[in-house]
Amino acid sequence: MPRIVRAEQAFKKVPPVRPSAFEADDRDQERIDWVRQLWHDQDDLLAQRDRQIEENLRMLAGQQWTVYSRLLGRFVDITHYLTDKERAWRQRPVVNRLLLWYMLTFARMTENPPVISFQAATGDWTSMDLAEVMDPVFKTLWQETDMLELIQWIVGWMIPGGEAYWQTRVDPNLGDIVEWRGPAVLSLEDEDGVVIERVIPDAPFDRDGNPLIEAQPNGEWEVSGKAFQEREGGLVMEPLSPLQCRGQWGNGIPWAKKRIHMVRTFLTPEEVFDAYGVDVKPEVKGEESNRINELRKVQFGTGFFGATESGFEGLASHDKEGAEGYVDIIQMWHAPSNFPGMEGGTFEQPGGRLTAVTRTMVLRDGVRPANFKYTSPVRRASFVHVPGRPSGTTPQEAQNPIQRAFNKGWAQVLEHRNLSANPIGMYDKSQGISDDDITNEPGLLLGVNRKAGNSAPPIEYVKPPPLGEDVYRTQLLLKSEMQDLGQIEGSEGRAPTHDASGELVKELRFNADRYIGPTQARLALSLARTAEDWMAILPTIWPEEKLVAYTGEQNILRTVTVQRELFVSGKVKVIPDIESMLPEGRGERETRVFRLWAEGMLGDALDPQTQRRALEMLRMPHMARALLPGGQDAIMAEKENGMLARGTPAAEIAILPWQDHDEHLRVHEEFMKSPAFQDLPVEIQQQFMNHWMETREGRLRAMAQLAHEEAQLQASMQLAQLGAAVQAGLPILPAAPEEPGPQGEPEAPPAEVA
């Protein structure tokens, strides 16, 4: 059976890909129904999970007396159903130990901020150069995209939600302003009427893609307008809640391997226009906002703010205004497949599919914008996986019932306190006391008509029975259970004993953090995959000059040699890695520099120049640059290599007498021995050899000049000694005769070095 026929049978319910991603056709309604059906097919399967996440959020926020009503289909606060009399005495306290657990777990998972780095995947020269080039680039992007803040959002969702999602997208309003310029073909007609095509290498273009050049009668050309300008775009990291993201159904399929990723979000019409260039009308409005679901609550609600939340419906009562005026958008990513129009999976042909739909419109339908290694640039990190569950699980689930029981115990204790402080009273009506006479006013005097023979007191109070020790013992047991389930012991900052050693505290802390170790490892892996998403996106928005600016001019050569790997072929042979970004402390830096100086790794320890370099390194905030062998001369030589590799003629690079020519030659020869040098065009190689020869000649000139200066200095010293001897009246001895040469002749003076 032909391959196309098999694909059509396997995807017979799938509407075709649009011929043009942003142009509507008569199959758009099928695409809307298909994408939204993929999302809503999982509604019932994930309903219980979504309720669990909402309950976890409410419990953390202090709404711990809310319960889910199947009749109403939402969470309700039982205190709203109390009568006015019950409100006067019933106690519903919230002793929020869950929030303590959340804050400690959050601090554990974010106290060592990570940063991206790269390792060569193979031992070849290009892979090592690529790793060295990409390391500073991605560390800079790590800071520019506020990855540390993103990680806090990720961890903040993982703890109550069991998992968290985030995605990389391009914001067209970021980045540097660039002009539309490029090669253009200009047709000229000579005097004989023959049309001659001339290629203009750097012509301006208008916003419609038309070259702004005009032919002149003399056969030349002129620019007819100013090039259209726009921002090149920049990377934006967007945290997503687990309620927003769904994937291909299958519990045993890792997120990176799922062939379908879906993201649901609500944007304003203005945001939709910025992202897709399409005018749309709000879809979430009117009565629908009264039936708002968990997803809209999390995205546009006023939030869960504890027992002070006002309104009968809690959060839902505030969501009508917050959700009004938004567009319901579902993005569906599909991995490359055999379906017509979705083939590919290469740098030139990314393949796959990205479809974005509202309830009534297709915003986009076409191949993916970049060749992502995985299905989409949406990443996921889970707290822990429990078999049989479609998503991650959080330890908070086990603590919620204990927290509720703990609150109920304190409610009973407080109600008993109320009974003790304001006991139930009884009075004798026959003695003339009325209801209005009895108050809690201190020093109150009541007049009574006590009858003869009636010894009963006119007012009596019922003393409640004392609370048994089991009540408080139960509260302590519940607290201990939460301590154990939340792994709180050892992380509060209290010493386990009065005279605990530092090593003991360290080991206890290590044991307390053991349960989040696998979670942190999976998070690091997902963050490294985010860097792989960046590698796929950057070639679509960055020119070569941008990469050079990020790597620095001293790395121009390495940037140029790996340009094809990163921007053309897309076959990157490096592995992103996540490491701690905690800076080296001043004391650690001083100790490290002193050890290098004492062991002679910086040069002779007694040499003043070596000592001066060591002192400079002590002032450096980062030692990587200070430890570069060769210092400034090596950096300048690397820059010259980059200039030559980019086509700068050797004659335009000055050979300065104060340079360390030996260091320059070492850096040039190191590259000229590498395989990367053989891959350069022959004319570029020739420029390298010309510059190498000019550097050698400069070295010889410097040596000759030094020898000449030394000879002059020696002659001056001899004249000075002779003058001193004459003044002292000492006899002047004749100079010793020169030694005969091989033929008995005096040796000829050495030839002057050119």
Side-chain angles (χ1 to χ4, degrees), residues 546-595:
K546 185 82 169 183
L547 184 62
V548 171
Y550 271 72
T551 59
E553 292 186 350
Q554 69 271 19
N555 284 324
I556 291 178
L557 175 62
R558 291 184 174 88
T559 304
V560 172
T561 56
V562 301
Q563 202 64 235
R564 178 173 178 79
E565 290 288 336
L566 184 60
F567 283 89
V568 180
S569 68
K571 298 177 180 178
V572 181
K573 301 177 183 177
V574 293
I575 300 174
D577 192 15
I578 300 296
E579 61 184 18
S580 175
M581 69 174 299
L582 289 178
E584 188 178 36
R586 181 174 181 178
E588 296 172 328
R589 183 170 66 249
E590 291 177 352
T591 302
R592 182 180 172 196
V593 172
F594 180 79
R595 186 175 65 251

Side-chain angles (χ1 to χ4, degrees), residues 416-470:
H416 183 272
R417 184 197 66 178
N418 285 349
L419 283 175
S420 300
N422 301 281
I424 298 174
M426 299 180 297
Y427 63 92
D428 188 352
K429 291 185 177 181
S430 65
Q431 298 190 29
I433 302 175
S434 65
D435 295 347
D436 297 334
D437 295 333
I438 301 176
T439 66
N440 283 339
E441 180 182 351
L444 178 67
L445 295 177
L446 294 176
V448 298
N449 298 320
R450 183 170 293 177
K451 296 182 180 179
N454 185 4
S455 60
I459 299 176
E460 293 181 283
Y461 289 95
V462 179
K463 182 179 181 180
L467 287 176
E469 294 183 359
D470 288 345

Side-chain angles (χ1 to χ4, degrees), residues 321-335:
E321 181 179 356
E324 187 109 12
Y326 287 90
V327 182
D328 183 1
I329 297 177
I330 299 178
Q331 280 187 349
M332 191 280 299
W333 297 81
H334 200 296

Side-chain angles (χ1 to χ4, degrees), residues 659-727:
Q659 292 176 341
D660 186 342
H661 300 291
D662 290 330
E663 185 63 29
H664 275 249
L665 288 172
R666 181 191 67 80
V667 174
H668 296 325
E669 291 171 358
E670 182 179 351
F671 173 69
M672 294 171 70
K673 295 175 184 177
S674 69
F677 177 75
Q678 302 298 327
D679 295 336
L680 294 175
V682 176
E683 57 273 14
I684 298 295
Q685 294 182 19
Q686 184 62 48
Q687 294 301 320
F688 267 92
M689 289 186 285
N690 293 344
H691 182 68
W692 175 79
M693 294 178 64
E694 292 172 2
T695 305
R696 282 178 56 87
E697 293 175 359
R699 175 175 174 270
L700 293 176
R701 288 194 299 269
M703 292 174 60
Q705 180 66 24
L706 180 61
H708 179 67
E709 292 175 355
E710 289 179 351
Q712 286 184 333
L713 178 61
Q714 186 176 6
S716 299
M717 292 176 62
Q718 290 177 353
L719 288 175
Q721 292 175 358
L722 181 61
V726 170
Q727 291 180 1

